Amino acid sequence: MSSEKYFSNDLLNSMSPAQIKEYQEERLRSQLKYCYSSSSFYKRKFDEFGAHPNDIRTIDGLRALPIFMNKEQERLNASESLEKENHPFGAHLCAPLNEVYVTGTTSGTTGTPTFSYTFTKNDIELIAQGLGHRFSYNGVKKGDRVLFIFALGIYATTMSLWGIRSIGALPIDIDARAGSEMMLNFADLTRPNYMATTVSLAEYLIGKAHDIIGKEVGDLKMKGLFLTGEVGVNIPEVKKRIEEAYGCPVYDYWAPAGHAIAITCKSDEYSGMHGVSPDLCLSFEDLVDPETKKSIPIEDGAVGEMVVTSLKREAAPLIRYATGDMVQIFTKPCPYCGFPGKRIKLVGRSDDMLVVKGVNIYPSAIKKVVESFTPQVTGEMRIVLDEPPPRVVPPLKLKFEYGARTREPELEGLAKEISQATHDQLKIRPSIEWVAPGSLEKSTRKTPVFEKRYEK
Ligand SMILES: [Zn+2]
């Protein structure tokens, strides 16, 4: 990585942090005025809070405003626009309807899908620069072929195709629903140098390759894997397992609703996703407590719920949108590549958070502990809930698959070791139930973390 191309917008590469902040604030002021004058929803919100865009000059000023939106409000906005204007993009749509150029939805696994990826032509061109930069940051260039396996069509993940094409690389896009045979046959046939997919699919293909194409995934000779969609790459054992199988570095990337565009670098130790497009949103500058929604100071290592405010977005800009994503922010330059901007690590979803004896616990933290015990365990797990979260009456019940070579008499001792490690790292002592390897269902999309034993 050459030092002059950290950010996707080249203007920022010669700016100091103070100048970048000034640049963001200038864009913020015009974004807020645009939203106020273009959407009845935003006008209503500002009025309701007794605020006016003219009064908000800085990021601190923005953070003093209440939360404008969350997923639930976004769904209400969609119902409102469907009813009044016959479109699903929401009452916060600011551009004229006939300027909508691209749309895409969230996966809809947790309710009615929202069209959070609705863009004008200008929007997608700007965003594509950032999305593409995440790939070029790690060496993808014009002429490279990127095997791209996700649920294709109207889904969010396909936005990265715009990024891959924007840097002149060629996507080989295959629908994840097509099955492993088609994925691997196309991989063999098209000889891609890179692959973009989910963590679980990358792991799944490792075990399938030999039977289908007569070679191992490592024989495909990829130069890098770009993974997204789940917490995983930030667990050292998972990263190592995939890197060893494919024989190449694995990167973690993100861009929820085209915001917080971020990518990890080639560091061995997980150093967080680097925010390469701070000119497009303020996601790295705004954290709140997930329960009280009070602002959390942006300091190195701070953990909180990420709040998004768009900068220079035309179609459906967001203002103080509480994402439900719990993140940790790093403010110092990356120790590996020197990236000078902010970095982010996904901790979990605020609605996945459990409270055990006053301690906040995320499934990803438990996953990290159990993964450190592979191959004595498979790494597959469930958190058993007898009552609706977040409060859990101790002990927290965990269900693990023991490893294929672990013998039954070893299980009691192993449970004690894992319980102790959980206590050392997370300050809770769980109870552990063992199940045979392969008995917990593994999904190629999102594997469930909870086993709910209560009436919903
Ligand atoms: Zn780095």
Side-chain angles (χ1 to χ4, degrees), residues 182-305:
M182 186 178 273
M183 294 170 199
L184 286 161
N185 281 328
F186 267 106
D188 197 24
L189 191 64
T190 60
R191 309 289 158 91
N193 350 54
Y194 294 92
M195 175 162 89
T197 189
T198 60
V199 177
S200 38
L201 204 46
E203 287 210 276
Y204 180 74
L205 292 179
I206 296 172
K208 292 278 172 190
H210 189 81
D211 285 349
I212 294 173
I213 51 170
K215 41 177 116 163
E216 304 301 331
V217 287
D219 299 328
L220 295 169
K221 303 253 180 292
M222 305 248 198
K223 294 202 284 195
L225 252 60
F226 292 85
L227 305 182
T228 190
E230 296 142 300
V231 174
V233 177
N234 63 21
I235 299 175
E237 288 77 12
V238 174
K239 182 173 184 281
K240 195 166 163 245
R241 196 157 65 222
I242 301 177
E243 286 185 340
E244 280 178 1
Y246 286 87
C248 65
V250 164
Y251 308 104
D252 194 9
Y253 76 90
W254 207 33
H259 299 94
I261 297 176
I263 181 75
T264 54
C265 67
K266 212 171 174 174
S267 61
D268 279 338
E269 207 169 302
Y270 190 86
S271 55
M273 293 186 278
H274 305 24
V276 294
S277 305
D279 54 326
L280 298 184
C281 70
L282 294 175
S283 343
F284 292 71
E285 321 294 334
D286 197 354
L287 296 184
V288 296
D289 179 290
E291 288 189 82
T292 63
K293 305 295 175 199
K294 280 205 178 115
S295 269
I296 290 173
I298 301 296
E299 296 162 352
D300 194 54
V303 174
E305 180 179 0

Side-chain angles (χ1 to χ4, degrees), residues 137 265 271 274 334 336-339 343:
Y137 200 89
C265 67
S271 55
H274 305 24
C334 172
Y336 184 81
C337 70
F339 179 78
R343 291 169 290 127

Side-chain angles (χ1 to χ4, degrees), residues 34 87-89 93-105 115-128 131 153-154 158-159 161-163 165-166 313-316:
Y34 168 76
H87 71 74
F89 309 117
L93 184 74
C94 291
L97 191 54
N98 62 7
E99 294 293 329
V100 171
Y101 182 71
V102 175
T103 193
T105 76
F115 292 81
S116 313
Y117 295 74
T118 295
F119 306 126
T120 63
K121 195 160 190 281
N122 288 334
D123 287 341
I124 193 64
E125 278 169 6
L126 264 182
I127 293 164
L131 300 179
I154 199 160
T158 60
M159 297 301 153
L161 290 169
W162 294 85
R165 294 193 174 106
S166 83
R313 188 67 68 90
E314 291 179 346

